[in-house]
Amino acid sequence: MQRINKILVYGIPLLVVGWILYIHHLSGPFSLSRIDPEYAYLKNGLNCALGEFERIGHHDHPGTPFQLLTGLFIWIVYAFTGQGTLTEDVIGHPEKYLTGASLLLTFLTALVILWLGRIVYHANKKDTAGILLMQLSLFLNVVVLSLPSRYNPDRMLSVYSLILAGLVFQYICKPGYPGKKFAIFSGLLLGVAVATKITYLPLVLIPFLVLEKVRDRFYHVLGVLVAGFIGVLPILDKLVFFRDFMFKIATHDGLYGSGSGQVLNVDAFLLNLKLIFQANTGFFMILFAAVLVLVFVLTNAGRRKAHKKESLFFIAFVLVSLIEYMLVAKHYKQYYMAPVLSLSGIALYLTYSVLSKQARSRYLTVAFGIGLFALVFFSFKSYFNLHAQGVERRSLYRQMHMFARDQCAGDSYYLLEPTWRCGLFKEDGLAYGLSYTRYKNEYMREYEQWYPDVIIFRHEDRPLLHFTHYPANNQSILKSGRNIYLYSTPQRRTGRILQYIEREAGKYNVDLRLDTVYRQEERHKYILRYRHADEWNTLKQVSSGFEITEEGSMLSDDGLMKLQGVYDRSRENVYNGLHSVMLDSTCRRSPGYLITDVLRGDYFEVTLKAFGLREGSRFGLVISSPEPQKDSVYIMTGQSLSRAGNGWELIRLCTRISSQPVDSTVVIFFNHHDKGTVFLDDFSVSQYREGPAAVRED
């Protein structure tokens, strides 16, 4: 029996790992099925990995310990698979990092389950029931069984509950285990858990009520407070937002503080109570058994004395379960019950332990064996029933994704709105995650590198946005001649987006046609495309990071165009690559583009990154003809559009050429008129034309 038990101790964790890998395979990519809150935690995990805690913008749970853990996982994945900088690799390959983080959390879960088996085995090498009941805790309920397909704090809360179960086991079942040790360890654990998600707070009562000494309860509460405080230290100045969010939830009857301004919607509350019970029938049977055993123990003085700690646990378990039941019924999602559901194993074990000591009968062991088998069987049965219901839906979603991946590739824009609903690509998840990030422009370089063709809709009265939420130039987008794709579902604001695009196109005299290129009529899901019915197109796109020179001349990044003028290259401050251009008192003008074949009516967008500009600095990004006094072609902007991260500024000039330039030529350059040194990088020019219409008279 000892040999079999030892095999179980080490075999069940491997079984858990295999199961989690299997359901990850069934669930598919995170971006296609579960971005909320996965991508928000990935993005803030990156903030933590970089040590940039001021950039954390997600503090709803608060969630900080899980963000810190995600940051650690990110570094581990990067150490084995990373290319380029950490930020570049995470933003470019978010699915790799979410999958890697989930895999590392899987191994952590397996280690906890191995630890559970070992402490039971070392307490009693013949306790097969104890090993099975404790180590199979994740398999006793369909909610907990399916949770490892996610990467969210509730999954971590389930692991915390398993650790709590192990601590409870040692305190109750291991003779001589110090109450002070249990109080401190459980306090620190629960403090971190509460900082991870406030819904774990009721479970603080379990050690508090199980502990017999007032002094130990003090240590427990102190541990919770200390660990909780440390857990939220990175967002201590933002806890006011968490407080306000909790107040909205408490005073409104919908999810996340939505709904009407009442504490409780009685009809919805009663319906949710019913749904929770139906989804967790096995757990409520365990809860009922715990109540029966508690009554059995309390009705006899001898049993009360022999099983005092177990009785205290049952009281705490029942009380906490009912509190969680009520709280989740007000703000309902199935996996919100995960913390208390994950205690099913220890509750069953202590139930079995009490009864087996009072009535030594093989029939009791058989009954518990049958009960355990039934719980595990019906959990798996429920999971596969739910999975089967979603097979067709996931298949259709993947078909649409594959079509979109092929169709939208190339010279097209992808227009999306940040939402918790999954979209067609990982870009949808990244946009959602970025919406929970402060100082978004600090990541401008990486998002421009990986996703230059993504544009974002936020509001009808504002311009479209580039990925890091700085304003796009609608006129440039619409006159580029490129297709614009968007994903339409019943829950999205597709109608408002279409009205917005058509209004903007009319404002700039751009003729667009709307097509439905892919449809799933039964699910009301469509891929829409705006294509041009006019002759607007991108005539020229050229950029220079000041990296390539030839015979003393600066070249564009493709090596095909020479920039005019002298320059002083520098490695001191660089936005991209290895070099920038430095302007100072000896050289105040940047190398410039000489653009030929420029016609009246052409539209230009020019962008440049600059470092070292001070408030009130006098500078100009200029488009000029060779003889502006003759043709009046001299356009300049002296304002920064947006911060671009790490002290760099984005400067943009967008303009229509209103008169024919001399020799059909313009030069584009940057001037700095103040003292001090300025560094320039990422100098780009786009020229758009509407064919013959560009030379027509007004």
Side-chain angles (χ1 to χ4, degrees), residues 650-667:
L650 171 65
I651 304 167
R652 184 174 71 193
L653 172 60
C654 298
T655 187
R656 177 181 179 270
I657 304 299
S658 58
S659 59
Q660 183 60 38
V662 172
D663 298 331
S664 300
T665 300
V666 298
V667 61

Side-chain angles (χ1 to χ4, degrees), residues 558-575:
D558 58 13
L560 300 179
M561 180 179 288
K562 287 186 178 181
L563 279 70
Q564 310 295 309
V566 298
Y567 60 88
D568 185 3
R569 283 208 303 177
S570 171
R571 290 174 177 260
E572 183 179 344
N573 286 292
V574 178
Y575 188 78

Side-chain angles (χ1 to χ4, degrees), residues 382-408:
S382 297
Y383 175 82
F384 284 110
N385 286 340
L386 293 171
H387 174 72
Q389 294 171 15
V391 167
E392 183 180 3
R393 173 178 54 82
R394 284 187 290 271
S395 176
L396 290 171
Y397 205 4
R398 289 191 179 102
Q399 290 175 26
M400 180 172 278
H401 163 71
M402 293 173 67
F403 175 87
R405 183 188 60 192
D406 298 335
Q407 183 77 13
C408 300

Side-chain angles (χ1 to χ4, degrees), residues 142 145 374-387:
V142 66
L145 181 71
L375 287 170
V376 173
F377 174 80
F378 285 108
S379 294
F380 278 92
K381 185 175 184 294
S382 297
Y383 175 82
F384 284 110
N385 286 340
L386 293 171
H387 174 72

